[in-house]
Amino acid sequence: MEFELIQKFFMRRSQHSHILLENGDDCALLTSNQVLAFSIDTLVVGTHFLPSMAPADLGYRALAVNLSDLAAMGAKPMAFLLSLTLPDINESWLAAFSQGLLHLADSFKMDLIGGNTTRGPLAITIQIIGELPPDKALKRSGAKIEDDLYVTGKLGLRPIRPVPRIEFAQRLLDLAHAAIDLSDGLTQDLSHILKASRCGALIDPDLIPGTDYNYGEDYELCFTASAENRDKIKELAELTQTPVCIIGKIIQEPGIYNSRTREAIAIKGYQHFT
Ligand code: ADP
Ligand code: MG
């Protein structure tokens, strides 16, 4: 794409002192005395979104799904890079896309520090960078036997513009043991925590908020925490206006079981290659 168009739609003054050199050179330069968290996600037309999706929604969503990964780690957003593959140059499309994208970026005080633009079938890749205090990340491997098992929000809604649980998750660092974001469906995503933590879960399906918890694309959080932090987590949920529910607990026996019937619950969810 013409450099002028990149400049027009995607280049802005950086808002942060940790950006030593902003977008526009061969690399951006940033500095931090914290632990850095990196994640990357791609949205491909026809696979992850319909061609009819409004460009402003698409810009929002491409960043929101990446913010969801930072939230799942408890990381604070810093900056991101944008790789755009476009079938053609459409200025009104770019204006709406960048508005949806950069408005969300501003609300989390994030800088767009670089990118790449190529021609081809519409696809958007964002690499996000966050920061964390040392030894604090909410890893998938951190769940402990007897932990309460939580989910945020309501499942099955699959919002076009999911709200990343960033502030809640950062404050959860001292209260929770493990977390994951719900992109592929509750049982499948939960099973990643259970495998990494070598444990299982008892859940009460009647306690799961919402309709179908195995659709995926909710971008809510699933996390585990010691029962002694129940009151603090409830307070934090109110403070940050984040709905939370305890849906079960962590047990030693691998697998997911219905806490009422003790029957195994099948692991289902979105499969990327079938
Ligand atoms: P190079 O040839 O060094 O890879 P480019 O010509 O691809 O550089 O890009 C020029 C500058 O514009 C770089 O600083 C790059 O980070 C930035 N850039 C290119 N595409 C985008 C984009 N889609 N969003 C944000 N910045 C971009
Ligand atoms: Mg380049």
Side-chain angles (χ1 to χ4, degrees), residues 1 3 6 10-11 22-27 81-84 112-117:
M1 179 164 44
F3 190 71
I6 296 172
F10 297 111
M11 292 210 186
E22 59 196 358
N23 195 4
D25 211 310
D26 295 307
C27 292
L81 295 111
L82 168 69
S83 176
L84 261 185
L112 173 53
I113 58 169
N116 190 47
T117 310

Side-chain angles (χ1 to χ4, degrees), residues 118-177:
T118 52
R119 184 189 292 271
L122 182 61
I124 300 119
T125 297
I126 286 181
Q127 180 180 24
I128 199 162
I129 305 163
E131 58 184 355
L132 278 161
D135 300 319
K136 288 270 180 166
L138 297 173
K139 295 182 208 161
R140 296 179 181 187
S141 57
K144 298 196 167 52
I145 314 294
E146 292 295 321
D147 271 1
D148 290 328
L149 182 62
Y150 291 80
V151 294
T152 61
K154 251 191 198 163
L155 306 187
L157 297 177
R158 312 168 87 190
I160 290 172
R161 293 187 172 222
V163 176
R165 303 293 188 188
I166 289 288
E167 195 198 348
F168 175 75
Q170 267 171 258
R171 294 173 186 230
L172 209 53
L173 284 176
D174 290 317
L175 300 174
H177 287 145

